[in-house]
Amino acid sequence: SKIKEIKLLSKLLPLNIGLNKMEQMFHFLFEISQRDEINIKSILNNIDFEGAFKAPTSKDKQDIVKILHKKLYDLRYPLQSQYLKIINKKIDNLKLLNNIKIRYDKTFERAGINFNININRKNDLHNSIKWLDKNRDKIINIIEKK
C-alpha cells in the first residue's frame, strides 16, 4: 500500500514544484492523514489527484501545482478556507478600480486589509478617494466580519 502511495506521489516530481511548496503539500498530506485517520491514497483520490493532470484548465505545470496545493490546503484547513472564500467574495463585490489592489493576511495572524493605491495623476487620487467613500460600508463589513 505504501509503495502505491509513493508511486502516486512520484507524479509530483516532474512538476518542478520547488522545495517549499513540495514540503507544504507533503505536510498537508501527513496532517490530513493523521487527523482523519486515512491513508494518503484516499486523500489523493478525494482531491482527484489524477484528474488534476488531465484537467483542461491546466495549461502548464504551475497550474497543476496550484490546483493540487489549493485542494490540499482546503482539506487541511476547512474552516479557514471557508473564511477565505467569504472574504474574497466580498472583495470581488467591491469592483476595484484599476489602480487599487487589496491584500490581506490569509493566515489571519495579522488583522486588517492592505490597500495598495497607485496614484499617477490627480484624477487617480480623486477617483480613489471617491471609491473608498462610496464603498466605506462594504469595507467595514469585510473588516468586522473577518
Side-chain angles (χ1 to χ4, degrees), residues 43 52 65 82 100 145:
I43 298 166
V65 171
Q82 290 302 315
I100 298 177
K145 301 296 182 187

Side-chain angles (χ1 to χ4, degrees), residues 19-73:
L19 290 177
N20 189 30
K21 190 76 79 175
M22 179 77 83
E23 180 185 9
Q24 285 179 354
M25 291 171 74
F26 284 152
H27 194 74
F28 292 160
L29 282 167
F30 175 75
E31 288 179 337
I32 296 165
S33 174
Q34 294 296 309
R35 180 193 66 205
D36 298 346
E37 298 179 354
I38 57 176
N39 64 30
I40 289 174
K41 185 177 180 183
S42 297
I43 298 166
L44 295 175
N45 287 338
N46 187 14
I47 65 168
D48 191 19
F49 180 77
E50 298 282 339
F53 290 90
K54 301 171 189 167
T57 58
S58 299
K59 296 179 182 129
D60 62 19
K61 294 176 183 180
Q62 292 306 309
D63 289 337
I64 295 170
V65 171
K66 285 178 188 173
I67 291 168
L68 293 173
H69 188 272
K70 178 160 180 12
K71 288 181 177 187
L72 285 172
Y73 179 89

Side-chain angles (χ1 to χ4, degrees), residues 99-114:
N99 66 316
I100 298 177
K101 304 283 186 239
I102 295 179
R103 301 194 192 298
Y104 64 96
D105 180 14
K106 291 172 177 60
T107 65
F108 302 110
E109 291 175 7
R110 291 180 297 262
I113 296 175
N114 297 316

Side-chain angles (χ1 to χ4, degrees), residues 110-121:
R110 291 180 297 262
I113 296 175
N114 297 316
F115 287 87
N116 296 331
I117 302 174
N118 188 13
I119 299 172
N120 291 320
R121 302 177 313 242

